[in-house]
Amino acid sequence: MSEITPDLVRHLAGLARILVTDEEVDKFASQLSLIVDSVATVSKAVEGDVPATSHPIPMANVFREDVIEPSLTQGQALSGASDSADGRFRVHAILDED
Amino acid sequence: MAKEELMNYEQALAQFEVVIGLEVHVELNTNTKMFCGCKNEFGNEPNTNVCPICIGLPGSLPAVNKRAIESSIRIGLALGCEIAPTGRFSRKQYFYPDLAKNFQTSQYDEPIAFEGALEVEVPSGNKFNVLIERAHMEEDAGKLTHVGGSTGRIQGAEYSLVDYNRAGVPLVEIVTKPVFGAGAEAPELAAAYVRSIRDIVRALDVSDARMERGNVRCDANVSLRLHGAEKLGTRTETKNVNSLRSIERAVRYEIQRQAAILAKGGSILQETRHWHEDRGITSSGRPKSDADDYRYFPEPDLVPVQPSREWIEELRATLPENPAERRKRLAADWGFSELEFRDVVNAGLLDQIEETVAAGAKPQAARKWWGGELSRIANDESKDVAELAITPAQVAELAGLIDAGKINDRLAREVLGFVLAGEGSPAEIVAARGLEVVSDDGALIAAIDAALAGQQDVLDAIREGRMQAAGAVIGAVMKAMKGSADAARVRELLIAKANA
Amino acid sequence: MTDLTRKSASELVDLLASKQVSSVEVTQAHIDRTNAVGGAVHSYLHVSPESALATAAEIDRKRAAGEALHPLAGLPIAVKDNLTTTDAPTTSGSKILEGWIPQYDATVVAKLRAAGMPILGKTNLDEFAMGSSTEFSAFGPSRNPWDLDRIPGGSGGGSSSVVASFQAPIAIGSDTGGSIRFPAAVTGTVGTKPTYGAVSRYGLIALASSLDQIGPVSRNVLDAALLQDVIAGYDKHDSTSLPESLGSMVEAAKKLDVKGMRIGVIKELTGAGFQPGVQARFNESLALLQAAGAEIVEVSCPSFEYAIAAYYLILPAEASSNLAKFDSVRFGLRVTPEGNPTIERVMAATREAGFGPEVKRRIILGTYALSSGAYDNYYGAAQKVRTLIQRDFDAAFAKADVLVSPTAPTTAFKLGEKLEDPLAMYLNDIATIPANLAGIPGMSIPNGLAEEDGLPVGIQLLAPAREDARLYQVGAALEKMHEEVWGKRMIDFAPELEVK
């Protein structure tokens, strides 16, 4: 079987900031195991010196001039926010209170 | 927070070898941000220099600022780096509210510049060759304000507010290789290195380079190992060192703190620490549990940066003289003593003196006026010398008038005052106010006679070689002539009169 | 006047230009059609009848005043709901964006507005375009107009069904692994994925940045050509945008000639694994092409064996990164757990509630593929497979001008049939994925009905990068041959939908 254990799923879900229930952890672990087993073939396919392709159509040196463009207004920037105050996005405390 | 134990500094150095590493972030002074056309400007209303790209709205895409690329290449060249034939952007992934996309677009294994070196001189005069690992481009995060806690810091805050004006501002991160052999001067070296970087980026005009504004930020890495040991010790990284002085103090503190732990048989925790300038200590920062797994991968929305050799050479031609090279050249040209030259450098007067000499003054004269009277005045007025209302050309003119015998030192100081008050150039002021040294012997003799009135014994004393008496007469003449007499000439005439 | 909704887009364009119909009439006709059958098909997530009619009225006024207008002015269109629109909510089929009104228009949307095309509404899709059936839409699936118990394909099942059910003459879709082409195949319509970079992705809510492309959805090839000519073109906001024009697709579609063209049949995309009716119709089309003067050659692309595996590593990896921005802070859903939660817990709870199971699955898989320790074997290896696939295509295109295959292995399956088996779902894309990995353009056109179930099948055409015109040339020619054989257009075989 593969290396996708429930513990690993919990760890990955943590890295991705997604809360998962125990039931989901088990379900994902078994589904992802199947998927990972089937995709594991890729590492065999590329033995030898094959370069990676990050961009399907090779291009380089795409720049823009250092010229100011119109920005959003503060109101527009905040228009999608669940919560804001003093012109800024408001979020819950970043650390647990110790 | 319990105060941590420190080992005596000399003791620590006797037992351990110090290794430091420095990461300096330079904020570029481009007009716009790294990946969008929002203004790169400090001090505006929150969230007014933002757009879909820098607040990470769904569907937005980055576009690279050409001037930021140029500035990065020039920084790399100034640090003696290789410029990568292919550089690539990568995504560095972690979640934090000041990161609009929850990843930072940075550079990972293909930075724009690498393998450089910088010669750094510490106050003692020792020189160190600091090797540069790499310089890469990245974007800054937004600004968080923590509300509700007692200190405005993150601990105990109720909530936080995010302003993305700074998000996306271009940064260049310069990373040194581990620096060995600094010994007791490690703290000074760290500060001197950062000062050199600051001077370089200022001279390149790629950054405002004001540490107090956060344009240049330093993270200091410190580790210790026993003398002769092969393996490097565990290092700590100290952040929030906002001034050259803090860097020196923080490095010194970490050396003492780590030495105390190691001497007791303890081990150093690899962590990020926070410097507290008020208390002079570092404290443990938040442990970053997934800090090591940033899951870097090449940024798919941006294409590689492949600067041509021609472009790199064009940019190389725009580099100003390397500050260390420049200092060598000026020191040789001016012929100051080592101490005199170092004083000038430490006082930040190189530019002024160079320009004054270029305007015709002798180096020593330029040094005398800038380092002497003008520095004193600036200090009195709590100003920077550069802020005084006088130009190097005017100082050169002043020195020229002295050389020509038109004014003496005392008059020159008066004239200086009038220049600073905005009355015009030295020559204009001398003419307008009639401040020229009196060179008319007749007038001088008349003044001498007046001063001598009723004091024939003075001439006798002078004839007999008792020169103190002369001083009083000269003083009286100078006073009567309101300082506009040439004291040396008065003395000559007095002695001639005595011997006549 | 026969039912305007049965006319092709190019027919409507002619009627509008010659003022035989008004845009308001055309737009209203489609709004009426949606009111009649829209509920049964569920193509739309949002309809904008008022603003569409307002645009239509404005165009009619301008046309009457003799103002110069874009050729497609007044022609209504539907837009997939993963493209940002400032005047309609944009959800990308997800609860996490329910109700979000974007602050900017996607470049493609801006082009439609500049052309004066009334936007009828936003079409349904699998959540964040992850899926092949629209069953993963958070707002319920769309249905296949040919059989309402079957899927219309995905992720762009909303766009394909809206066009197949005559609710819009044309639509915009996006294709990452077949999301335009698979729905086209199973609904008897036309869909093109242009060369990567031909159409700007600015404003397309990103799934896999190096695979995504926006393209036209229509009932015939000429209509798709008209639309591709409008939406394609360089955009400075998209750094992967092709600087050069690819020429006129409309001109290519009018050539109607395949004499001397070499048509390459991809060995690995025929035979076992393909439904008999799919394979039979494919072979018949090859015979038609040959009879029209094309040369049929066989090509082999052995690396296609790894295409799905590579795709299901690259896509989740890039998607996991692109979806990190959905964190409750700047836009979208926020779920606040009980008590005094930290922002971390709010983010985690929001993403748990806002993302569906397929999205979560792929994010976790993608996080794994990028994690240190796994990168080289997974994401890193997959990027190398891309190189092998490109090499296979290069070799194939040395022997053929255009490559062909069945678009998909099967006809439309029933709703619910593949939901519990993600791997089975992924196999729908076996023929379409290689084009996205290589960045080359691909088109699916109707290829008849499978006799075993009477459902539409598609034929896929592939061309080298930047040679999109070849697809339109061959596609339009084959389409004409089909009509000559069948006696009518493919879509005319579709059963009539019950009108409310």
Side-chain angles (χ1 to χ4, degrees):
Chain A
M1 250 328 204
S2 94
E3 61 257 44
I4 310 290
T5 60
D7 274 345
L8 179 58
V9 170
R10 273 193 202 92
H11 171 71
L12 294 169
L15 280 182
R17 297 295 185 274
I18 303 181
L19 218 53
V20 279
T21 63
D22 287 338
E23 199 193 307
E24 274 175 317
V25 167
D26 289 334
K27 190 165 172 197
F28 286 157
S30 80
Q31 284 173 332
L32 289 173
S33 286
L34 279 174
I35 295 172
V36 168
D37 280 346
S38 76
V39 301
T41 57
V42 288
S43 55
K44 276 187 249 123
V46 292
E47 264 143 32
D49 209 10
V50 181
T53 296
S54 316
H55 295 99
I57 310 291
M59 278 200 291
N61 295 334
V62 176
F63 305 131
R64 73 181 161 82
E65 295 299 320
D66 187 23
V67 166
I68 296 172
E69 309 251 342
S71 291
L72 295 172
T73 63
Q74 191 187 79
Q76 285 171 323
L78 296 170
S79 66
S82 302
D83 191 12
S84 62
D86 296 335
R88 285 170 278 193
F89 297 87
R90 181 149 62 174
V91 298
H92 291 77
I94 293 176
L95 282 182
D96 267 317
E97 268 205 64
D98 277 323
Chain B
M1 197 183 314
K3 199 167 159 113
E4 294 195 51
E5 207 188 301
L6 302 177
M7 182 185 281
N8 167 276
Y9 190 67
E10 282 68 33
Q11 248 190 294
L13 289 159
Q15 281 195 37
F16 300 103
E17 185 194 335
V18 179
V19 179
I20 60 172
L22 295 152
E23 287 157 28
V24 177
H25 286 86
V26 175
E27 206 175 77
L28 299 182
N29 65 359
T30 52
N31 296 324
T32 61
K33 295 185 178 183
M34 185 75 224
F35 299 116
C36 67
C38 289
K39 253 189 279 177
N40 173 8
E41 192 176 82
F42 177 81
N44 296 115
E45 283 297 298
N47 293 304
T48 53
N49 291 341
V50 296
C51 74
I53 298 162
C54 55
I55 55 170
L57 293 183
S60 60
L61 294 173
V64 175
N65 182 334
K66 185 172 185 188
R67 173 123 186 271
I69 301 284
E70 286 177 357
S71 297
S72 305
I73 292 175
R74 292 173 74 230
I75 290 174
L77 292 172
L79 295 175
C81 291
E82 289 285 314
I83 304 300
T86 297
R88 219 183 284 267
F89 289 97
S90 291
R91 293 189 183 180
K92 176 181 183 182
Q93 315 203 73
Y94 61 98
F95 283 80
Y96 211 64
D98 63 1
L99 211 57
K101 301 167 289 193
N102 288 316
F103 62 83
Q104 179 194 40
T105 303
S106 174
Q107 294 191 295
Y108 178 54
D109 51 354
E110 291 178 88
I112 193 161
F114 54 92
E115 297 294 317
L118 189 63
E119 190 186 81
V120 180
E121 188 177 320
V122 291
S124 70
N126 283 337
K127 295 195 189 13
F128 295 87
N129 193 36
V130 176
L131 297 178
I132 311 278
E133 170 89 37
R134 57 190 272 150
H136 72 250
M137 297 180 285
E138 56 182 46
E139 54 177 345
D140 209 347
K143 187 148 156 51
L144 282 166
T145 315
H146 309 295
V147 178
S150 54
T151 58
R153 293 229 335 107
I154 214 174
Q155 281 84 2
E158 265 179 58
Y159 60 86
S160 300
L161 298 171
V162 198
D163 171 16
Y164 292 102
N165 279 353
R166 197 182 64 185
V169 164
L171 298 175
V172 173
E173 182 176 339
I174 303 165
V175 183
T176 67
K177 298 203 185 193
V179 181
F180 303 99
E185 294 188 291
E188 286 86 341
L189 176 57
Y193 169 77
V194 176
R195 171 195 247 151
S196 299
I197 298 286
R198 189 198 64 185
D199 290 347
I200 286 172
V201 300
R202 208 179 260 162
L204 290 172
D205 190 23
V206 295
S207 173
D208 294 340
R210 293 171 63 167
M211 285 191 76
E212 69 277 11
R213 282 271 188 93
N215 301 142
V216 173
R217 303 170 214 163
C218 173
D219 299 334
N221 293 282
V222 178
S223 72
L224 302 179
R225 62 181 175 185
L226 289 170
H227 287 289
E230 263 190 48
K231 216 169 145 249
L232 284 173
T234 306
R235 64 179 171 87
T236 59
E237 181 188 35
T238 301
K239 287 172 129 57
N240 197 46
V241 268
N242 297 328
S243 68
L244 296 175
R245 188 176 120 89
S246 298
I247 293 170
E248 211 177 302
R249 292 179 71 205
V251 169
R252 195 179 165 103
Y253 180 88
E254 266 304 288
I255 291 170
Q256 294 180 273
R257 187 189 73 85
Q258 289 189 22
I261 293 172
L262 291 171
K264 282 202 165 137
S267 53
I268 305 300
L269 185 61
Q270 178 167 0
E271 59 171 347
T272 299
R273 296 183 70 85
H274 185 96
W275 171 250
H276 300 267
E277 178 66 24
D278 48 350
R279 276 175 287 167
I281 66 165
T282 64
S283 66
S284 208
R286 267 179 81 220
K288 292 197 279 187
S289 52
D290 45 89
D292 291 329
D293 202 353
Y294 289 119
R295 287 161 280 133
Y296 286 98
F297 72 102
E299 170 60 78
D301 289 328
L302 294 176
V303 298
V305 177
Q306 297 176 333
S308 67
R309 292 293 119 193
E310 291 77 36
W311 191 26
I312 293 172
E313 291 317 308
E314 261 175 52
L315 291 173
R316 196 193 299 275
T318 69
L319 295 185
E321 193 180 11
N322 174 303
E325 292 293 319
R326 176 184 178 229
R327 281 198 290 276
K328 278 203 190 90
R329 177 177 61 82
L330 293 177
D333 287 351
W334 295 343
F336 293 167
S337 75
E338 252 195 66
L339 193 55
E340 284 173 340
F341 193 80
R342 204 175 310 137
D343 281 347
V344 161
V345 170
N346 289 339
L349 292 172
L350 273 184
D351 290 343
Q352 285 80 358
I353 295 176
E354 192 180 19
E355 287 172 52
T356 305
V357 169
K362 294 197 184 59
Q364 282 292 358
R367 184 181 79 83
K368 171 183 147 165
W369 286 106
W370 284 105
E373 187 66 8
L374 287 169
S375 286
R376 187 191 62 73
I377 293 171
N379 203 40
D380 284 350
E381 297 180 15
S382 295
K383 280 188 181 156
D384 203 64
V385 162
E387 294 175 73
L388 292 178
I390 186 166
T391 67
Q394 288 169 333
V395 172
E397 194 179 287
L398 191 74
L401 289 169
I402 297 171
D403 278 349
K406 292 233 158 74
I407 55 175
N408 56 23
D409 263 14
R410 191 198 161 295
L411 284 171
R413 268 190 281 282
E414 252 189 83
V415 171
L416 205 62
F418 294 129
V419 173
L420 290 170
E423 282 188 26
S425 77
E428 286 165 355
I429 290 165
V430 165
R433 283 179 171 264
L435 291 174
E436 251 189 61
V437 157
V438 173
S439 46
D440 171 15
D441 280 357
L444 291 177
I445 288 168
I448 288 170
D449 284 342
L452 280 175
Q455 294 184 75
Q456 273 306 112
D457 46 330
V458 173
L459 286 177
D460 297 333
I462 290 169
R463 224 176 287 121
E464 281 163 28
R466 281 182 279 134
M467 299 310 285
Q468 307 93 294
V473 175
I474 296 169
V477 169
M478 296 299 286
K479 190 165 172 201
M481 309 238 25
K482 296 192 176 43
S484 63
D486 179 10
R489 186 71 186 135
V490 169
R491 189 187 174 84
E492 276 172 18
L493 290 170
L494 182 58
I495 291 169
K497 197 178 186 59
N499 292 322
Chain C
M1 179 61 65
T2 49
D3 189 354
L4 290 172
T5 63
R6 298 282 152 157
K7 301 241 174 258
S8 71
S10 57
E11 287 168 333
L12 288 172
V13 161
D14 287 341
L15 289 171
L16 286 163
S18 60
K19 299 185 186 158
Q20 289 178 66
V21 285
S22 69
S23 176
V24 166
E25 279 176 89
V26 175
T27 304
Q28 188 64 56
H30 288 92
I31 292 169
D32 293 342
R33 175 69 178 167
T34 295
N35 290 335
V37 305
V41 184
H42 190 233
S43 304
Y44 283 114
L45 291 178
H46 180 89
V47 290
S48 322
E50 291 94 16
S51 64
L53 287 168
T55 304
E58 180 62 16
I59 291 300
D60 287 337
R61 187 195 63 73
K62 286 184 165 163
R63 206 187 296 273
E67 286 182 41
L69 291 173
H70 188 280
L72 266 55
L75 178 71
I77 186 168
V79 173
K80 189 174 182 182
D81 202 25
N82 58 358
L83 285 159
T84 58
T85 45
T86 51
D87 61 352
T90 302
T91 68
S92 210
S94 178
K95 281 220 162 0
I96 212 167
L97 275 185
E98 191 168 10
W100 179 55
I101 311 273
Q103 294 97 319
Y104 73 108
D105 277 332
T107 295
V108 162
V109 170
K111 288 186 171 204
L112 299 178
R113 293 199 210 273
M117 298 173 74
I119 297 177
L120 293 165
K122 309 297 289 300
T123 61
N124 195 18
L125 64 158
D126 284 289
E127 187 179 2
F128 288 109
M130 296 193 214
S132 330
S133 66
T134 71
E135 291 174 290
F136 291 124
S137 166
F139 308 106
S142 299
R143 288 158 187 275
N144 194 324
W146 291 72
D147 177 344
L148 295 173
D149 290 331
R150 292 180 186 264
I151 55 105
S155 64
S159 284
S160 65
S161 63
V162 89
V163 151
S165 60
F166 304 99
Q167 294 181 69
I170 44 170
I172 304 269
S174 73
D175 187 309
T176 303
S179 294
I180 286 177
R181 289 163 288 157
F182 178 60
V186 300
T187 57
T189 55
V190 172
T192 313
K193 181 203 84 68
T195 298
Y196 183 82
V199 180
S200 169
R201 290 182 298 118
Y202 190 71
L204 173 69
I205 298 178
L207 167 55
S209 314
S210 70
L211 303 171
D212 293 343
Q213 201 37 202
I214 295 166
V217 174
S218 65
R219 293 190 290 268
N220 65 63
V221 175
L222 181 60
D223 289 356
L226 281 169
L227 187 50
Q228 182 158 338
D229 281 352
V230 175
I231 60 176
Y234 170 71
D235 180 19
K236 67 176 184 182
H237 289 114
D238 178 352
S239 299
T240 61
S241 176
L242 291 178
E244 69 273 27
S245 160
L246 301 187
S248 166
M249 301 303 134
V250 168
E251 274 175 41
K254 289 182 171 166
K255 284 190 181 155
L256 298 172
D257 182 12
V258 298
K259 263 196 283 296
M261 290 192 84
R262 299 164 301 161
I263 310 288
V265 176
I266 302 173
K267 191 172 108 179
E268 287 78 10
L269 295 177
T270 59
F274 287 81
Q275 192 177 314
V278 169
Q279 189 64 54
R281 298 293 87 73
F282 178 71
N283 294 339
E284 285 157 20
S285 286
L286 290 180
L288 283 176
L289 286 164
Q290 198 163 34
E295 188 195 333
I296 311 297
V297 300
E298 193 186 69
V299 299
S300 174
C301 298
S303 67
F304 282 18
E305 186 189 338
Y306 304 105
I308 291 208
Y311 179 79
Y312 281 102
L313 285 168
I314 293 169
L315 182 147
E318 294 185 6
S320 70
S321 176
N322 288 328
L323 294 185
K325 56 176 57 75
F326 297 90
D327 63 3
S328 86
V329 176
R330 292 160 300 282
F331 49 82
L333 183 71
R334 174 178 284 183
V335 169
T336 309
E338 294 275 309
N340 232 359
T342 59
I343 180 62
E344 306 254 317
R345 284 193 52 224
V346 171
M347 283 185 183
T350 299
R351 290 159 69 79
E352 195 283 325
F355 289 145
E358 181 64 23
V359 170
K360 283 180 190 158
R361 214 173 358 248
R362 295 202 197 184
I363 289 176
I364 292 175
L365 177 56
T367 305
Y368 182 58
L370 291 176
S371 62
S372 67
Y375 183 99
D376 288 334
N377 284 334
Y378 293 120
Y379 186 76
Q383 294 287 54
K384 294 180 178 185
V385 168
R386 282 180 100 144
T387 306
L388 296 178
I389 289 174
Q390 279 191 328
R391 287 179 184 171
D392 277 358
F393 273 129
D394 286 344
F397 284 120
K399 296 162 76 177
D401 302 304
V402 163
L403 303 178
V404 290
S405 77
T407 307
T410 66
T411 55
F413 45 89
K414 282 200 187 287
L415 286 155
E417 198 178 304
K418 297 195 183 178
L419 267 185
E420 290 309 308
D421 192 351
L423 268 180
M425 190 70 92
Y426 296 165
L427 287 172
N428 297 315
D429 299 327
I430 195 169
T432 48
I433 275 171
N436 300 83
L437 288 170
I440 65 170
M443 174 191 283
S444 177
I445 71 166
N447 205 31
L449 303 173
E451 57 269 31
E452 53 269 27
D453 49 31
L455 292 169
V457 309
I459 182 169
Q460 174 177 240
L461 310 169
L462 299 169
R466 300 183 180 82
E467 299 299 333
D468 304 44
R470 292 187 202 176
L471 302 176
Y472 286 91
Q473 179 173 344
V474 177
L478 182 58
E479 179 186 71
K480 182 148 187 270
M481 290 177 230
H482 284 154
E483 279 176 33
E484 280 160 9
V485 169
W486 301 335
K488 52 184 177 179
R489 305 173 308 175
M490 173 73 169
I491 202 65
D492 298 326
F493 286 95
E496 281 299 325
L497 284 172
E498 211 180 287
V499 170
K500 260 196 336 202

